[in-house]
Amino acid sequence: MAAASSTATQSPFKTFDASQANSLKPHSSSRIFINFKSLTPNRNRQIRCLIKSFENQPQNQNVDFLSGSDSIHLIQPNSSPSSAISMAAASSSESVSKTVKRVCLFYCDETKALAERVAAESDAIELRSINWRTFEDGFPNLFIPNAYGIRGQRVAFLASFSSPGVIFEQLSIIYALPKLFISSFTLVLPFFPTGTFERMEDEGDVATAFTLARILSNIPTSRGGPTSLVTFDIHALQERFYFGDNILPCFESGIPLLKKRLQQLPDSDNISIAFPDDGAWKRFHKQLQHFPTIVCAKVRIGDKRIVRIKEGDPEGRHVVIVDDLVQSGGTLIECQVCNFTYMISVYYESSHTFLKSGGYHLQAMATR
Amino acid sequence: MEENSKTVSVTQKKKVHLFYCLDCEELARKIAAQSDLITLQSINWRNFADGFPNLYINNAHDIRGQHVAFLASFSSPAVIFEQISVIYLLPRLFVASFTLVLPFFPTGSFERMEEEGDVATAFTMARILSNIPISRGGPTSLVIYDIHALQERFYFGDHVLPLFETGIPLLKKRLQQLADANNIVVAFPDDGAWKRFHKLLDEFPVVVCTKVREDDKRIVRLKEGNPAGYHVVIVDDLVQSGGTLIECQKVLAAHGAVKVSAYVTHGVFPKHSWERFMHQNNGSEKAFEYFWITDSCPQTVKAIGNRAPFEVLSLAGSIAEALQI
């Protein structure tokens, strides 16, 4: 096992040439781990990997990407005659190298536009359709065309539970797909609704987040084992443990998209992050550590609740209020007002407008 | 379950706290009126602005150690989630036992895959119900009336005990009250209905219809039996558009039936399709003498009331007994 660390300082790319180290000559049964450790942990990293050649290579090379907290963007190199194994060629020939695996992506009406953008990100992701019809009594009449064609394939479904009325039809598909002899199943549910009703304060409260987690935990296992459930910025971190053992929740975040966008702003060095309450601070501060922070709080005065600044100073700064979701927007507006007396301008970015980030995850999944 | 006496035997006395969904309030009241042992409880059904439910179970402490039941009605997919939220919570409130009464099991007719790719929504529904948490009383009892396919009994997992009841005893009692009670013949619109019901109605002469393909049409024909001179009662588990029943009635009348009535346990009648059965011209034109339905589909019952030819036979007594099991 060889480990290499690259000191990523000012130059954007650091190339590590594995052929220099003799100890990296692969054996037929050896595995090489190339672990990129950056000394500036919060910089966005791009990892490009081009395997040029192995001496005496056996035919089956497996390249697996273990991603840390950053999404890995697989860049297909131009195929050149000199490379015995190239990423681009791999997808056309299973026997040479299993690097890129196909994913059949199903979707519902509401998520069609996003699904098309996800599929556009990678050749490995293929869109599949479903016939969504309704019987006269209102119950769904569903059909999955070409169901034989997904046998042995990795399958995903991009869901959206925008209202209780659409849950049953999507759930029927979600419960049916894993049993069609697919090799693995991933449910992408970018927004987990009911996430805010996740506790019982009184005996008699009905925590609907528990209901939804239970319904999803009951997805049948496929040949690939438990279903992966990808969701973004779930409202309460404790909800991870509401799920049963037959499902693997994968909690992603839209914050990397925000960070990338902020870096593009002309005043990117004048940004402070504000959290509307302690809950938001708990969920997000670790991902936004290198920005100065402001924390707001709701304070009770009489029978009103007023937003006040608890910590930090927005004066002269471009303040970005960060939260997982927005409902009526009342809290955000109050935050904005109480910060506005001090600073130049305010934007808020809410994670659940960044649906595009779903694309990164599916692509990373396709390369594992 | 065969019909049995109305009085509850002493050994079976169970006090039951009955919760119910909004649609089912009237049926719930009727059930509670059947027995002092059954007490109605209430739930606050509200919605958040995003459409998701905001629910509260009143007096949750009082049901500890008590037998609890919930009367559900999944009249459309949109109302499933809020009722399931209550159904998944009640067993965990330290109740002594939990019974779910779902008189009509929807999706029941989409219960098989003829082609790879068919999505049998009855499986989805059974799976959702099989996932009800277990309570101190063990698996949840699930009371369903005249499920569409008998095989569906085996769609449920081990944490649920399906209890399949039938509305036929109510029909038989009603038939005995008719003036021409000794001139009745039972007709089944297809072999499926015959399989499900003939044993319960074996004291009546039987007529069986069937659908025959002629070119691309499907026509109802008489397969067995002779309706001539009789008051024929067509029996089936549910009615949707009513097309099949109407065609059966025409065939039976053409073969000499004196009167034709119908019984279905579940008057689903999507989009008010019951209107085509109403008596025309002040009763001078009646295709159906009587049309009996139960109150398993409360929205239909509210719309129809007891307007001729419809008569609602209530499941309240049968449910009250089932709660004692």
Side-chain angles (χ1 to χ4, degrees):
Chain A
M1 187 139 96
S5 67
S6 90
T7 52
T9 49
Q10 296 309 314
S11 79
F13 298 119
K14 182 78 180 171
T15 312
F16 177 71
D17 191 350
S19 64
Q20 304 299 338
N22 274 339
S23 60
L24 288 177
K25 277 214 183 100
H27 215 270
S28 58
S29 60
S30 72
R31 298 165 104 188
I32 299 177
F33 288 87
I34 303 177
N35 191 357
F36 291 92
K37 283 191 182 143
S38 170
L39 295 179
T40 53
N42 287 319
R43 290 219 175 262
N44 283 332
R45 293 185 288 193
Q46 274 202 346
I47 299 175
R48 288 182 175 192
C49 196
L50 173 65
I51 298 177
K52 288 216 156 164
S53 69
F54 287 129
E55 288 182 323
N56 306 319
Q57 68 275 32
Q59 281 308 305
N60 284 329
Q61 299 291 338
N62 240 351
V63 180
D64 288 308
F65 289 94
L66 304 167
S67 68
S69 59
D70 297 322
S71 303
I72 294 180
H73 198 131
L74 180 66
I75 299 170
Q76 309 275 19
N78 297 322
S79 58
S80 62
S82 62
S83 53
I85 297 167
S86 107
M87 294 302 182
S91 53
S92 61
S93 162
E94 287 278 345
S95 61
V96 175
S97 171
K98 290 190 294 176
T99 51
V100 176
K101 292 185 181 168
R102 276 177 56 220
V103 174
C104 299
L105 177 61
F106 292 88
Y107 54 91
C108 60
D109 267 343
E110 288 174 16
T111 55
K112 182 174 179 191
L114 175 58
E116 285 169 351
R117 281 150 69 189
V118 170
E121 297 268 340
S122 164
D123 288 338
I125 301 174
E126 185 188 304
L127 282 187
R128 291 297 188 117
S129 65
I130 293 171
N131 295 351
W132 301 91
R133 295 155 306 189
T134 322
F135 285 114
E136 292 283 312
D137 65 1
F139 276 85
N141 177 11
L142 309 167
F143 184 73
I144 301 171
N146 193 18
Y148 287 109
I150 60 174
R151 287 184 171 182
Q153 300 294 321
R154 313 184 80 186
V155 170
F157 180 77
L158 183 58
S160 166
F161 294 158
S162 56
S163 75
V166 302
I167 293 180
F168 185 76
E169 63 202 28
Q170 295 182 50
L171 201 59
S172 296
I173 298 290
I174 292 167
Y175 281 1
L177 283 171
K179 296 176 75 99
L180 294 176
F181 298 93
I182 60 180
S183 68
S184 76
F185 185 58
T186 296
L187 172 61
V188 184
L189 179 65
F191 173 51
F192 183 89
T194 71
T196 44
F197 202 165
E198 90 291 10
R199 58 193 178 280
M200 287 170 70
E201 288 166 6
D202 275 325
E203 194 90 346
D205 277 335
V206 179
T208 44
F210 169 72
T211 314
L212 191 56
R214 198 177 176 86
I215 289 174
L216 297 178
S217 299
N218 199 23
I219 298 172
T221 46
S222 67
R223 283 179 155 180
T227 297
S228 302
L229 169 66
V230 181
T231 192
F232 285 78
D233 290 318
I234 199 163
H235 182 75
L237 296 167
Q238 298 87 342
E239 283 162 346
R240 176 189 294 271
F241 302 107
Y242 289 25
F243 295 93
D245 289 338
N246 278 346
I247 189 163
L248 297 173
C250 180
F251 287 177
E252 292 279 358
S253 175
I255 297 296
L257 295 172
L258 171 65
K259 293 202 287 195
K260 211 170 86 163
R261 182 70 186 88
L262 293 179
Q263 276 166 13
Q264 297 167 352
L265 295 177
D267 57 353
S268 60
D269 51 352
N270 191 36
I271 290 180
S272 290
I273 302 287
F275 298 110
D277 51 40
D278 271 332
W281 179 84
K282 276 183 203 155
R283 282 193 293 277
F284 294 116
H285 78 280
K286 286 193 179 164
Q287 295 180 63
L288 294 160
Q289 266 171 10
H290 54 286
F291 291 100
T293 310
I294 297 160
V295 184
C296 300
K298 273 192 174 156
V299 168
R300 265 174 230 86
I301 293 189
D303 49 339
K304 284 191 191 174
R305 305 219 308 166
I306 300 185
V307 176
R308 288 270 166 87
I309 295 182
K310 192 179 91 153
E311 296 169 22
D313 182 8
E315 180 145 12
R317 309 285 294 173
H318 176 173
V319 178
V320 179
I321 309 173
V322 170
D323 205 352
D324 61 326
L325 57 80
V326 59
Q327 297 262 10
S328 67
T331 307
L332 284 167
I333 289 176
E334 289 190 47
C335 269
Q336 178 261 329
V337 167
C338 83
N339 278 288
F340 189 62
T341 48
Y342 297 99
M343 62 193 193
I344 302 169
S345 62
V346 179
Y347 294 96
Y348 82 84
E349 310 266 23
S350 160
S351 178
H352 286 288
T353 61
F354 289 127
L355 298 181
K356 187 172 184 252
S357 54
Y360 284 104
H361 182 89
L362 275 174
Q363 182 168 38
M365 192 185 90
T367 62
R368 282 192 208 117
Chain B
M1 300 290 291
E2 293 304 320
E3 79 183 287
N4 40 34
S5 63
K6 273 192 284 275
T7 53
V8 176
S9 69
V10 176
T11 50
Q12 279 187 306
K13 270 198 182 137
K14 253 197 319 192
K15 276 185 59 188
V16 176
H17 293 257
L18 179 62
F19 292 87
Y20 53 92
C21 68
L22 284 174
D23 265 350
C24 291
E25 181 169 354
E26 204 185 304
L27 177 56
R29 289 194 186 286
K30 285 187 184 161
I31 296 169
Q34 298 283 322
S35 162
D36 288 338
L37 298 168
I38 301 175
T39 324
L40 283 188
Q41 296 283 346
S42 68
I43 294 171
N44 294 351
W45 302 90
R46 296 156 304 190
N47 278 328
F48 286 113
D50 66 0
F52 276 86
N54 176 12
L55 309 167
Y56 186 77
I57 296 175
N58 294 312
N59 298 326
H61 281 109
D62 294 346
I63 59 175
R64 288 180 171 184
Q66 303 293 320
H67 296 285
V68 168
F70 181 78
L71 179 60
S73 164
F74 295 158
S75 52
S76 75
V79 303
I80 294 178
F81 185 76
E82 64 202 27
Q83 295 182 55
I84 286 290
S85 295
V86 170
I87 292 166
Y88 280 4
L89 177 66
L90 282 170
R92 295 172 71 94
L93 293 177
F94 298 93
V95 302
S97 78
F98 183 60
T99 297
L100 172 61
V101 182
L102 179 64
F104 172 51
F105 182 87
T107 71
S109 42
F110 202 168
E111 91 291 7
R112 60 193 175 281
M113 287 171 71
E114 289 166 4
E115 269 182 278
E116 197 86 348
D118 276 334
V119 179
T121 44
F123 170 73
T124 314
M125 183 68 80
R127 198 174 178 87
I128 291 174
L129 296 176
S130 299
N131 199 22
I132 297 172
I134 204 162
S135 71
R136 283 175 155 185
T140 296
S141 302
L142 172 58
V143 181
I144 294 175
Y145 282 77
D146 289 317
I147 200 165
H148 182 75
L150 296 166
Q151 298 87 340
E152 283 163 340
R153 176 190 294 271
F154 302 108
Y155 288 26
F156 295 95
D158 290 338
H159 283 182
V160 158
L161 294 175
L163 178 60
F164 286 177
E165 291 277 358
T166 174
I168 296 295
L170 295 171
L171 171 66
K172 292 206 282 194
K173 216 172 79 169
R174 184 68 187 92
L175 293 179
Q176 279 164 13
Q177 297 168 348
L178 294 178
D180 56 354
N182 49 9
N183 193 35
I184 289 182
V185 155
V186 166
F188 297 111
D190 52 38
D191 272 332
W194 179 84
K195 274 184 206 154
R196 282 193 293 277
F197 294 116
H198 79 279
K199 285 188 184 171
L200 296 169
L201 292 160
D202 55 9
E203 70 259 36
F204 295 100
V206 159
V207 164
V208 184
C209 298
T210 181
K211 271 189 176 158
V212 168
R213 262 173 233 85
E214 265 179 27
D215 304 319
D216 44 339
K217 282 194 195 172
R218 305 224 304 168
I219 301 184
V220 175
R221 291 270 167 83
L222 202 59
K223 192 181 93 154
E224 294 170 26
N226 182 11
Y230 285 102
H231 176 176
V232 182
V233 178
I234 310 174
V235 170
D236 206 352
D237 60 328
L238 58 81
V239 59
Q240 298 260 9
S241 65
T244 307
L245 283 172
I246 287 179
E247 289 193 49
C248 273
Q249 181 271 328
K250 288 185 184 150
V251 166
L252 292 165
H255 279 87
V258 165
K259 287 187 211 172
V260 179
S261 297
Y263 164 87
V264 296
T265 309
H266 309 296
V268 182
F269 286 126
K271 302 184 178 161
H272 289 257
S273 53
W274 47 264
E275 282 171 357
R276 56 205 297 211
F277 292 90
M278 298 307 242
H279 284 164
Q280 310 294 331
N281 296 332
N282 297 321
S284 62
E285 278 182 38
K286 13 176 160 172
F288 286 88
E289 182 77 17
Y290 296 100
F291 198 133
W292 291 293
I293 61 172
T294 70
D295 44 6
S296 64
C297 297
Q299 294 192 339
T300 300
V301 168
K302 279 193 194 103
I304 295 181
N306 264 311
R307 288 187 276 171
F310 290 100
E311 280 185 19
V312 177
L313 305 173
S314 181
L315 293 173
S318 178
I319 292 174
E321 284 176 14
L323 289 177
Q324 290 297 320
I325 293 171

